[in-house]
Amino acid sequence: MPSIYARRSGVLASAAALAALTTLVNAPTAQAAPPTPISASAARTYLATVTPKAEGSSTGYSRDLFPHWSTVSGTCNTRETVLKRDGVNVVQDSSCAAISGSWYSEYDGATWTAASDLDIDHVVALSEAWRSGASSWTTSKRQQFANDLTRPQLIAVTDNVNQAKGDLDPAEWMPSRTAYRCTYARMWVHVKQYWGLSMDSAEKTALVNVLNGC
């Protein structure tokens, strides 16, 4: 009997381990990226309908006209929400500030363990949006744009990479990590399409060239 019991216990233990493994495999993974952008083919289709338009003036632009970061829930604002979403094993304090975790910057391939090394990039920069049509929006609509968590408009990246990008469009700047350029182009087109923002000729050409290789 002892040997039979031992074998039965081993079977039960194996079954439990298998069940635990199955649960682990099937468990939802943390979303370490912005919402999935439109497909390359959908982006190409949209670009085919775009009539290029010269960029507007920066006159009157101010970041204050795009209020951010907005409160999402409790003490958590948009920045902290994106840091939590884009990181791995992110721990937040009672104020929702990220105090530990790991972040992979898709733009340059760097990994960081301090939230202070990351910026939240507006894929379509606020001033770029201003020159592309947002100058005529209400402040409320600009606030929605600056805090858009539903479209692929916000992403946690290396701070100095974001600062080097500034308000440049895809004709002037693309991620140094070439493997992410297709995704970045899709993100850019998705955001501009949804928000009804114009594109200039060089910008459209750059996007078409990238997406044709995707």
Side-chain angles (χ1 to χ4, degrees), residues 66-81:
F66 293 79
H68 62 287
W69 302 108
S70 297
T71 299
V72 175
S73 64
T75 58
C76 299
N77 65 22
T78 310
R79 172 182 164 81
E80 300 300 345
T81 300

Side-chain angles (χ1 to χ4, degrees), residues 118-168:
L118 298 145
D119 277 354
I120 306 304
D121 179 41
H122 289 96
V123 172
V124 176
L126 304 182
S127 53
E128 163 71 21
W130 177 269
R131 297 190 300 270
S132 304
S135 59
S136 65
W137 294 352
T138 62
T139 300
S140 175
K141 184 173 180 178
R142 287 192 289 263
Q143 181 174 9
Q144 292 172 37
F145 174 82
N147 297 276
D148 188 359
L149 291 165
T150 305
R151 266 63 55 180
Q153 161 67 341
L154 301 171
I155 183 172
V157 296
T158 303
D159 54 3
N160 60 2
V161 171
N162 178 54
Q163 291 152 25
K165 172 191 169 182
D167 64 353
L168 302 178

Side-chain angles (χ1 to χ4, degrees), residues 37-149:
I38 60 175
S39 67
S41 60
R44 288 192 295 267
T45 298
Y46 173 69
L47 286 172
T49 71
V50 171
T51 300
K53 180 180 178 181
E55 277 194 351
S57 170
S58 293
T59 301
Y61 168 74
S62 168
R63 288 178 68 85
D64 293 340
L65 295 171
F66 293 79
H68 62 287
W69 302 108
S70 297
T71 299
V72 175
S73 64
T75 58
C76 299
N77 65 22
T78 310
R79 172 182 164 81
E80 300 300 345
T81 300
V82 175
L83 285 172
K84 176 73 171 180
R85 181 197 72 190
D86 287 1
V88 176
N89 298 324
V90 178
V91 176
Q92 297 171 306
D93 64 17
S94 59
S95 298
C96 205
I99 55 175
S100 66
S102 177
W103 293 267
Y104 177 76
S105 172
E106 293 283 9
Y107 288 180
D108 58 330
T111 297
W112 304 98
T113 55
S116 58
D117 288 320
L118 298 145
D119 277 354
I120 306 304
D121 179 41
H122 289 96
V123 172
V124 176
L126 304 182
S127 53
E128 163 71 21
W130 177 269
R131 297 190 300 270
S132 304
S135 59
S136 65
W137 294 352
T138 62
T139 300
S140 175
K141 184 173 180 178
R142 287 192 289 263
Q143 181 174 9
Q144 292 172 37
F145 174 82
N147 297 276
D148 188 359
L149 291 165

